Amino acid sequence: MGKVINRNFLKFLIVIIAFQDVAAGVAGSIMADIIAAFPDYNPTIVMLVATFPGLIQIVPALFYGKLSATFKKRTLLFTGLILFMIGGVMPFFIDSLPLIIAFRGLLGLGVGITMPLSVDIISDFFDGRERDFLIGFGTSTIACIGAIFFQLGGGILADSFGWQYGFLTYLFPIWILALTFLFLPEPEKRKIDENQPKQRVKTPRVIYAVSLGQIIFSALVYGYVTNISVVIQGENLGTATQAGMAISVFTFGTLLAGFVFGRIKHIVSVSYIPLAIFLTGLGMLICFFSHSLTMIFVGSVIGGAGMGIGLPGVFARVTEATPKNSNTSYVGLVVAAQGVGGIMGPFVFALILDALSKDIGRFPLAISAFGLFALAIVWFVLVKLAKPASSPDIEVTT
């Protein structure tokens, strides 16, 4: 490294990069106000303010491997953060819905760069259990703290001064930009032993398999996110505020699990991802059978804990599967897969509900639960059948 830096301070600088990973949720928390502000537009179009960043972030995430091999990590970080802040704050200054959606796309480009980077840069500086802890702490704990901050902060500003003020929360990451610009060193490129015999092979299949699993996982979780409030309010189990609390409890479970991800991965070294998927499904199943708000909260925290193990789990698995002497990073594929799953979710559930003539509410929770159980079983069988392997010293082509 070009700079001498305290190891604990380096960890802090790295994990705070994940703070804005899921910050696009500001628009979701003030969506009712945005829809009211543009009565001439179809509400579905207005909702693009919330959903468009997730779609656009797929693009840079897909090409993150090429970007990280071409540009310095610090350059990518600063580019991503600047795009994030410009795209996030500009809706405060404009009244045109198409322009607002366009700038939200710019925010999505920033997230598509910083999200895989927040994992990749951990692997550049740390390995083993230290790396696993930081991946879990960053992608689950810090990202959830950021999500809560942006949603609450945006909602408070919008309620106090008007919906456009909610977008001013996107100025907050300027302190992350300043600290990392001043103190974060550029990671060294992975050294390739010229005397090491090499063979040219395709990208390890496990990376594609994990990414496919992440698409399915993200799509199935959609059943909870969009239906838990319908169950709570539609069956008079609680108010709109309490329905929002259920999702907050889910997020809190994810946050807590991020603290212990490294330890869980060490204890369940092979089956930690199937375990995470099973816990998420168990949480959905508890919510499906629950007829009290308390039990829905219990199911939510269990499902969130599964998410808090699963998301860093797939990042860690892809990192481990990456050949040691390869300068290509594949964590962007996981981010892209997560985005694709989130986009597919509404369409998949709509098709299933239409085919079975079922309504929204409890039934999608059952679909999520049993779909996740099936995915956990398949994943468990595959990891048990797979031969133990470490990252090979090979040159990879895509």
Side-chain angles (χ1 to χ4, degrees):
M1 292 183 294
K3 299 179 181 179
V4 177
I5 186 171
N6 178 275
R7 192 170 181 83
N8 289 327
F9 186 49
L10 176 61
K11 292 178 183 178
F12 170 75
L13 290 174
I14 291 174
V15 296
I16 61 170
I17 297 172
F19 188 82
Q20 72 284 338
D21 278 358
V22 285
V26 167
S29 65
I30 58 175
M31 183 50 61
D33 294 329
I34 300 175
I35 290 174
F38 296 99
D40 295 334
Y41 287 89
N42 187 302
T44 303
I45 301 298
V46 182
M47 287 180 185
L48 285 172
V49 175
T51 58
F52 197 51
L55 174 64
I56 295 300
Q57 77 180 48
I58 296 172
V59 178
L62 277 175
F63 295 100
Y64 176 77
K66 297 292 185 183
L67 292 172
S68 63
T70 305
F71 300 100
K72 292 182 177 180
K73 298 290 176 67
R74 280 169 56 90
T75 302
L76 289 176
L77 174 60
F78 305 145
T79 301
L81 285 174
I82 290 170
L83 289 174
F84 175 89
M85 286 188 290
I86 293 174
V89 172
M90 282 304 295
F92 172 77
F93 299 99
I94 53 183
D95 294 312
S96 166
L97 182 64
L99 275 179
I100 289 174
I101 294 172
F103 277 110
R104 294 288 289 173
L106 197 65
L107 179 143
L109 287 177
V111 174
I113 295 171
T114 60
M115 187 181 289
L117 180 65
S118 66
V119 176
D120 193 25
I121 205 165
I122 290 173
S123 302
D124 285 328
F125 287 106
F126 302 96
D127 54 24
R129 294 185 66 177
E130 201 170 25
R131 177 196 63 200
D132 294 337
F133 169 76
L134 291 172
I135 289 177
F137 187 66
T139 61
S140 291
T141 304
I142 297 299
C144 285
I145 291 173
I148 293 169
F149 167 82
F150 281 106
Q151 289 170 0
L152 289 179
I156 291 170
L157 287 174
D159 288 339
S160 301
F161 306 105
W163 65 270
Q164 285 178 297
Y165 284 83
F167 292 101
L168 290 181
T169 53
Y170 289 112
L171 283 174
F172 188 77
I174 197 167
W175 69 275
I176 299 176
L177 177 64
L179 280 179
T180 52
F181 179 80
L182 291 172
F183 301 109
L184 183 67
E186 175 68 27
E188 293 180 358
K189 291 284 187 181
R190 294 184 181 95
K191 294 180 180 179
I192 300 177
D193 186 357
E194 297 295 335
N195 298 320
Q196 180 87 11
K198 301 174 185 176
Q199 52 178 328
R200 295 177 66 85
V201 297
K202 294 182 179 180
T203 303
R205 287 182 297 177
V206 66
I207 292 175
Y208 291 124
V210 169
S211 299
L212 176 60
Q214 182 64 15
I215 291 175
I216 300 171
F217 180 77
S218 298
L220 289 170
V221 170
Y222 176 87
Y224 170 89
V225 173
T226 55
N227 288 278
I228 195 65
S229 62
V230 176
V231 172
I232 292 173
Q233 292 180 263
E235 299 182 12
N236 296 318
L237 300 179
T239 63
T241 299
Q242 289 169 322
M245 284 177 61
I247 297 177
S248 297
V249 168
F250 186 94
T251 303
F252 186 67
T254 304
L255 185 154
L256 291 178
F259 278 108
V260 296
F261 167 72
R263 182 168 296 182
I264 291 173
K265 183 175 179 294
H266 177 69
I267 296 172
V268 193
S269 58
V270 176
S271 307
Y272 57 95
I273 297 180
L275 172 64
I277 298 169
F278 174 81
L279 285 176
T280 308
L282 178 61
M284 307 290 173
L285 192 65
I286 291 172
C287 289
F288 172 71
F289 284 113
S290 296
H291 291 279
S292 71
L293 192 63
T294 300
M295 286 307 299
I296 286 179
F297 284 173
V298 170
S300 295
V301 76
I302 292 173
M307 176 80 85
I309 299 168
L311 184 56
V314 294
F315 280 124
R317 185 67 190 95
V318 166
T319 298
E320 290 172 344
T322 301
K324 292 178 181 178
N325 69 344
S326 171
N327 281 324
T328 301
S329 172
Y330 298 101
V331 292
L333 291 179
V334 177
V335 175
Q338 186 178 355
V340 171
I343 293 168
M344 285 178 53
F347 299 101
V348 171
F349 276 87
L351 285 173
I352 295 174
L353 292 176
D354 184 60
L356 299 177
S357 300
K358 295 289 185 178
D359 294 324
I360 60 173
R362 284 192 181 272
F363 191 73
L365 293 174
I367 296 173
S368 292
F370 289 103
L372 288 165
F373 287 150
L375 179 61
I377 292 170
V378 171
W379 207 311
F380 180 78
V381 171
L382 291 176
V383 296
K384 285 297 183 181
L385 292 177
K387 296 179 180 179
S390 57
S391 301
D393 289 324
I394 50 181
E395 187 176 346
V396 178
T397 59
T398 56

